[in-house]
Each structure stands twice: as structure tokens, then as C-alpha cells.
Amino acid sequence: MKHTFVICAYKESKYLEDCIRSLKAQEVKSYIKIATSTPNEYIYSIANKYGIDVFVNNMKKENNISNIGNDWQFAYNIAETDLVTIAHQDDIYLKNYTKDLLKYKKKYRDMTLFTTPSITLKDGRVKLGKVEFIKQLLRLPLICNSLNNIEFIKRWSVTLGNPIIAPSCSYDKRLCPKDLFISSFQFALDWECVLRLAKLEGRFVLSKSPGICYRVHDGAATKKSILNHSRQMEESIMFDRLLPKPIAGIVKKLYQSSYKAYF
């Protein structure tokens, strides 16, 4: 096997077992590991049920709060294969994910980042709305595989927002930086990571087929980041880096209007 899913498990998510089942059901098998900074009997019992090893991140936390960047970096580090996907415990991976990943990697050896469209789940139902449509539009620069190794094209795909779904991403550790997720951000760290990768040699490949079902729910980190305003603050910083100030101000307002989709 050439690929590893590392699930970032946090506290006691009722969706963790569904995530594991979806990884076990892949048409092409991968290694599966669990990384956590909140070890507990719930996580261990589910891991034992499916024969999955649990790795505990003991890195220092500020104010007893887990740093997402440290958690993702720890998960990235424990994968021993070249290709690694940081799986989110709330999401479901479609059975074609690993097969598609390896197919594209075989064709594009310089692929640093693999990503897929996603299906949004809210209250157990598929959700189709403005946010999903906008993300599809923003990902359009990556559709042409003869151009998605060009820095401008990669950067343009994340200039007007971040349409790349973090849990859908797989990274080639041979081609990516060792400290991939070292960031002070709690929400926009994946956007910052993709922008950093865009500056390096390598190709961003977007699968034609959805690879995951992305779950929106009350306990999700995305919703919490909106309520505590960390998302607004961090995204504002990113837009200021990427766009002239007058344009950044307009885009921020448009982007923030999409937040209501998480409620």
C-alpha cells in the first residue's frame, strides 16, 4: 500500500465510526491510523474494534486548548507512506477516493496536492446551495491538468477564497515541506498551507469525481470558528495578503455572506 489515512480524532465524535467504515470500504486499500491530542476510552474502543493503532500527540497546548496546526502536523508526521490524507473524523470518504488518488499520482508524478469535489451533508441530507456552486467556480483553474503545475494557476485557485476542501486533500511527503502545517492560524491554516505549496514546484490535481461527503453540523470546528470570529479574522488576513485593499474589502463582505450556510 502506498497511501495512509490518518484520522484526526478529537474528544468523542459520534461520527468517528462512520468515517472509519468509509475508509475500510475503499475499493483500493490504504493504511489507517488515528492521531489524537484528546485520548479517551471512546476513541480507543472504536480503534480496537477496527484494529487501528492510536497515536497520541503530547505536544504542548496553550490554555489546555489543542492547536489544530500541531494536530495536523503530528498526523502528517506519523504516516510512513509517501502519500497521506489527513482525514477528518466527521466526514465520509467515498469508496473511489484512494483509487482515484493513485490513478492521478501514477499519471502525474509531480503531483504535490490531490484534491476532490465534495458532497455537503447537513442534517443527514445532501445539501446543494450557493456555497457549493461558488467553490466549483473557484476550483476551475485547476481543471486543466496541462496548466495546474504553473504557480499563477495554483495561486489563482485560492485567491478569491479557499475552495479546496481540506479533508479531501492528499499530500506527497517527498515533494512537500516537512513542516507542512506549522501555522498560528486555527481555521485558515489549510488555506495558508495551499498558498505555500502553490509557490513550490509541483502540480495541484483536482479529481473529476467527488471523493468525500463533508458534514456540516453544530459541533463542527467551522461553525465554532464563525461564532468566535476567528474565521472572519484569519480569512481577512489571507485576503489582505492576496488582493489589493479595496478589492479585498469587497471580497471579504461577499465571502462572509456565505457563513449563514453553516447555520
Side-chain angles (χ1 to χ4, degrees):
M1 290 184 280
K2 301 177 181 179
H3 169 248
T4 302
F5 286 108
V6 184
I7 306 169
C8 279
Y10 183 69
K11 294 187 175 178
E12 298 181 3
S13 170
K14 63 181 179 180
Y15 304 116
L16 175 59
E17 189 164 10
D18 287 344
C19 177
I20 292 174
R21 286 174 177 167
S22 73
L23 303 186
K24 289 282 189 178
Q26 291 292 305
E27 292 177 353
V28 176
K29 302 304 178 186
S30 300
Y31 293 109
I32 303 172
K33 297 180 178 182
I34 290 177
T36 183
S37 58
T38 58
N40 58 66
E41 286 305 313
Y42 177 79
I43 291 174
Y44 281 118
S45 64
I46 293 179
N48 289 336
K49 179 177 179 180
Y50 292 93
I52 299 172
D53 291 332
V54 176
F55 297 79
V56 178
N57 179 12
N58 291 313
M59 294 178 71
K60 184 179 178 182
K61 306 172 191 176
E62 294 183 10
N63 300 320
N64 205 33
I65 298 174
S66 178
N67 179 282
I68 295 176
N70 287 341
D71 289 342
W72 288 11
Q73 185 64 45
F74 177 78
Y76 181 78
N77 289 345
I78 65 174
E80 296 178 350
T81 53
D82 294 330
L83 296 171
V84 56
T85 300
I86 311 301
H88 293 198
Q89 64 182 1
D90 297 339
D91 300 328
I92 296 172
Y93 287 75
L94 303 180
K95 63 182 181 179
N96 55 283
Y97 179 91
T98 304
K99 181 178 74 173
D100 290 348
L101 164 65
L102 296 179
K103 176 186 73 175
Y104 282 109
K105 186 60 184 177
K106 184 177 181 180
K107 187 172 183 179
Y108 302 105
R109 304 303 298 176
D110 62 341
M111 183 178 80
T112 52
L113 175 75
F114 169 80
T115 186
T116 79
S118 65
I119 297 169
T120 302
L121 291 179
K122 188 174 182 181
D123 300 323
R125 298 178 181 178
V126 174
K127 180 180 179 296
L128 296 173
K130 182 173 70 173
V131 173
E132 287 73 27
F133 177 70
I134 291 173
K135 286 181 178 179
Q136 288 181 31
L137 288 178
L138 293 178
R139 286 194 296 262
L140 284 177
L142 300 180
I143 286 180
C144 182
N145 289 322
S146 62
L147 300 176
N148 58 20
N149 62 333
I150 299 171
E151 180 181 344
F152 172 79
I153 298 296
K154 292 183 287 183
R155 185 182 174 90
W156 180 246
S157 70
V158 291
T159 293
L160 298 177
N162 182 19
I164 295 177
I165 311 300
S168 79
C169 293
S170 185
Y171 310 90
D172 188 329
K173 296 180 71 172
R174 294 170 301 177
L175 305 177
C176 293
K178 291 183 178 179
D179 296 332
L180 187 61
F181 297 110
I182 299 302
S183 172
S184 60
F185 286 159
Q186 284 289 294
F187 178 80
L189 74 159
D190 57 325
W191 192 357
E192 187 179 53
C193 168
V194 172
L195 183 59
R196 191 184 311 127
L197 286 179
K199 298 175 183 178
L200 304 177
E201 290 186 9
R203 189 180 306 273
F204 286 3
V205 176
L206 172 66
S207 174
K208 294 179 181 179
S209 304
I212 71 167
C213 292
Y214 178 79
R215 195 188 303 272
V216 176
H217 63 96
D218 287 341
T222 298
K223 186 170 183 178
K224 290 178 181 177
S225 69
I226 295 172
L227 292 172
N228 67 20
H229 301 291
S230 63
R231 176 174 180 176
Q232 293 92 316
M233 180 185 69
E234 293 179 7
E235 288 183 339
S236 178
I237 293 171
M238 291 300 297
F239 281 124
D240 287 341
R241 289 181 187 175
L242 291 161
L243 296 166
K245 250 188 175 180
I247 298 175
I250 296 170
V251 175
K252 287 176 194 178
K253 290 180 180 179
L254 292 172
Y255 210 68
Q256 289 173 11
S257 68
S258 68
Y259 293 175
K260 57 187 178 183
Y262 295 93
F263 292 87

